[in-house]
Amino acid sequence: MNGEPSTALPRTGGLSPRRRRQISRLVQYVLLVAIVVVVALLADWAAIQRSFLNLDVAREGLPELFTVALRNTVIYTACGYAVGFVLGLGLALMRLSPVGPYRWIATVYIEVFRGLPALVIFLMIGSLPLAFPDLVFPFGVYGMATAGLGLVSAAYMAESFRAGVQAVPKGQMEAARSLGMPHMRAMTSIILPQAIRIVIPPLTNELVLLLKDSSLVLFFGVTSGQVELAKFGNDQASTFANPTPIVATGLVYLLLTIPLGYLARRLEARKGGHRP
Amino acid sequence: MSSVEIRNLRKSFGTLEVLRGIDLTVDAGQVVCVIGPSGSGKSTLLRCVNLLEQPTSGQVFVDGVELTDPDVDIDAARRRLGMVFQQFNLFPHLTVLRNVTIAQQRVLGRGRAEAERIAREDLERVGLADKAGAYPGQLSGGQQQRVAIARALAMNPSLMLFDEPTSALDPELVGDVLTVMRKLAEDGMTMLVVTHEMAFAREVADRVVFMDQGVIVEEGPPGQVIGSPRQERTQTFLRRVLNPTHVD
């Protein structure tokens, strides 16, 4: 430097920009420490431990937290996801169909089921027996949960599949057709395998969302053998008049959702890279 | 015996008439090269022959079968035609071998062993037998285009269509693809080739067709069309192509 103050960067208050950043950062740290200290001093740690992290109460939920609640959550989610996958794929193909009515039906379905809260759809399914007293869902609550979760996730997955199909270059369809493949054959043999690879990250995210939505099954009124995580935690909390089981339930959810979310981001990052 | 016959073919995109009445015949065993400036309708003509584009009017016959007949099974008819694209369009999620076998199995109903045997023969033909297990993304552009040729050959087409097969390639990779095409021509394959490679057209083609603005301006033996063109438009085009630095 030649000692001449820069005319391009006007100085204020005699402080260099770097010095100002340092001070600003220091203030932020001090503020953070102050808040942590105040919270730590004001909080009733004994009460918190007793209510939310009560090991005696948590132990009461074992092993059912895993053997019943987690198991059912996984079953509801997996069955709903399977139905959503197949239905969503069908809806995506309808949405891309040259036949107008197929497109309209798929569009209406997707708009309706994405526009409604999942809870409303579950309440509708739960109230179907009011309208049709003879209606019996196969597999009872499992069937209802599969239907509810499947119908909701199908709408989201359909949009993912559609985006995936449209992301496959047009030349792929032309190459397949020029080899004599009929349109549907080209779609299933050439386009969809590529489209599904493209949409694996969003489909993994959908699995995370569905896992959380499976908690809505509690609105069907389930027996003790059918409870999933959220209902199980809530019931236990009532029984022991202590919210620790809800915390435990939350931890089990995170045990599933965080790795899945991480996996989805990994797959997303890998996208575009070369695959062997 | 004529392999392809195109009669008064017209194609419009909206109000833009890209092909304005094309008549063209390719006899069995012949190589016809179509040259012309970009936007002249050459690629559209080729894409109309296998109905990747639906002609607005006119007729296309392949081996006496009218492809433009609405009652014809277009998927069955396309099996007689091999198509090679400018951008290769290999299936990136499948190995080279699978690229060449999938349509044999799914369209012609060949068994896996037979399809693989034929695929290996055709890969040998294009000089890539050792790449059977590779994925398209691991190959150079020239290699990918040769796989695309093998993929089309495996269907036993009676006619091969080439849509600017070397235009997307780095200059040093063009030669290998042209060598494969030259060999195909020597083996008696009927070929309709849209190309900018004048040397190739001159050497390999039985006839050269010069197109401009949706019509055939001039056609004949390569020595005549490229060597001593009669039409002024052909002369202008060739001056530009053969002597790119020349300003007129």
Side-chain angles (χ1 to χ4, degrees), chain A residues 52-127:
Chain A
F52 294 100
L53 304 166
N54 191 322
L55 290 181
D56 292 330
V57 173
R59 216 170 280 127
E60 291 291 331
L62 295 177
E64 288 82 4
L65 176 64
F66 293 101
T67 57
V68 177
L70 174 61
R71 179 175 146 269
N72 281 326
T73 288
V74 170
I75 291 174
Y76 293 138
T77 307
C79 292
Y81 194 76
V83 168
F85 190 97
V86 174
L87 189 56
L89 198 52
L91 284 164
L93 293 179
M94 285 171 72
R95 186 99 205 244
L96 295 165
S97 165
V99 182
Y102 279 154
R103 280 202 310 274
W104 306 330
I105 292 167
T107 305
V108 168
Y109 179 97
I110 290 166
E111 292 300 325
V112 167
F113 279 83
R114 286 201 312 170
L116 289 174
L119 175 55
V120 171
I121 293 159
F122 273 68
L123 292 175
M124 295 275 269
I125 290 174
S127 61

Side-chain angles (χ1 to χ4, degrees), chain B:
Chain B
M1 182 195 134
S2 90
S3 180
V4 189
E5 192 179 347
I6 299 165
R7 285 189 203 153
N8 196 22
L9 190 74
R10 289 172 182 274
K11 173 66 183 176
S12 302
F13 294 104
T15 55
L16 180 70
E17 195 169 29
V18 180
L19 296 178
R20 301 186 294 163
I22 300 283
D23 292 282
L24 181 66
T25 305
V26 183
D27 291 334
Q30 266 198 341
V31 177
V32 172
C33 285
V34 183
I35 61 172
S38 59
S40 58
K42 330 182 278 294
S43 287
T44 307
L45 171 65
L46 209 65
R47 292 163 60 84
C48 280
V49 171
N50 73 351
L51 266 64
L52 280 180
E53 302 289 354
Q54 189 67 43
T56 308
S57 68
Q59 292 168 301
V60 175
F61 296 87
V62 173
D63 294 336
V65 177
E66 188 192 342
L67 265 58
T68 36
D69 179 353
D71 292 331
V72 86
D73 176 356
I74 184 58
D75 297 313
R78 278 198 184 115
R79 285 170 216 162
R80 302 161 184 273
L81 307 169
M83 176 86 169
V84 175
F85 298 88
Q86 185 178 350
Q87 299 293 340
F88 333 133
N89 293 348
L90 290 182
F91 307 132
H93 61 302
L94 303 177
T95 62
V96 164
L97 186 68
R98 192 74 187 118
N99 262 278
V100 187
T101 58
I102 190 165
Q104 293 187 62
Q105 291 179 249
R106 305 261 164 100
V107 176
L108 300 180
R110 286 179 187 155
R112 187 175 149 183
E114 189 194 4
E116 291 192 353
R117 183 180 57 74
I118 292 168
R120 286 183 195 282
E121 282 173 18
D122 285 314
L123 287 172
E124 183 74 49
R125 222 171 149 184
V126 300
L128 290 172
D130 56 326
K131 297 291 184 190
Y135 282 84
Q138 299 166 326
L139 304 183
S140 73
Q143 291 172 329
Q144 289 192 51
Q145 192 60 297
R146 283 145 66 198
V147 172
I149 294 172
R151 178 175 70 176
L153 289 176
M155 305 297 284
N156 300 114
S158 61
L159 166 73
M160 287 282 284
L161 305 169
F162 292 85
D163 185 6
E164 302 194 22
T166 58
S167 296
L169 297 178
D170 292 335
E172 77 271 22
L173 302 174
V174 169
D176 290 342
V177 173
L178 293 182
T179 302
V180 166
M181 291 171 63
R182 199 174 289 125
K183 215 167 69 187
L184 270 184
E186 283 165 11
D187 293 348
M189 175 62 75
T190 313
M191 292 161 64
L192 182 55
V193 184
V194 171
T195 187
H196 292 294
E197 298 291 334
M198 292 305 142
F200 174 83
R202 195 165 188 156
E203 179 199 343
V204 178
D206 295 295
R207 268 190 309 137
V208 170
V209 172
F210 173 71
M211 276 182 72
D212 192 18
Q213 296 178 1
V215 294
I216 292 177
V217 176
E218 185 165 357
E219 68 173 294
Q224 180 203 312
V225 177
I226 300 176
S228 52
R230 282 178 236 170
Q231 302 292 328
E232 203 200 318
R233 276 196 275 177
T234 320
Q235 291 164 4
T236 309
F237 170 74
L238 286 167
R239 251 202 320 276
R240 284 193 185 135
V241 173
L242 299 174
N243 190 7
T245 50
H246 175 79
V247 182
D248 50 8

Side-chain angles (χ1 to χ4, degrees), chain A residues 135-165:
Chain A
L135 179 79
V136 179
F137 267 90
F139 308 109
V141 167
Y142 290 99
M144 291 163 81
T146 302
L149 294 170
L151 291 174
V152 173
S153 60
Y156 290 94
M157 285 202 251
E159 283 299 84
S160 290
F161 282 128
R162 182 175 67 94
V165 167

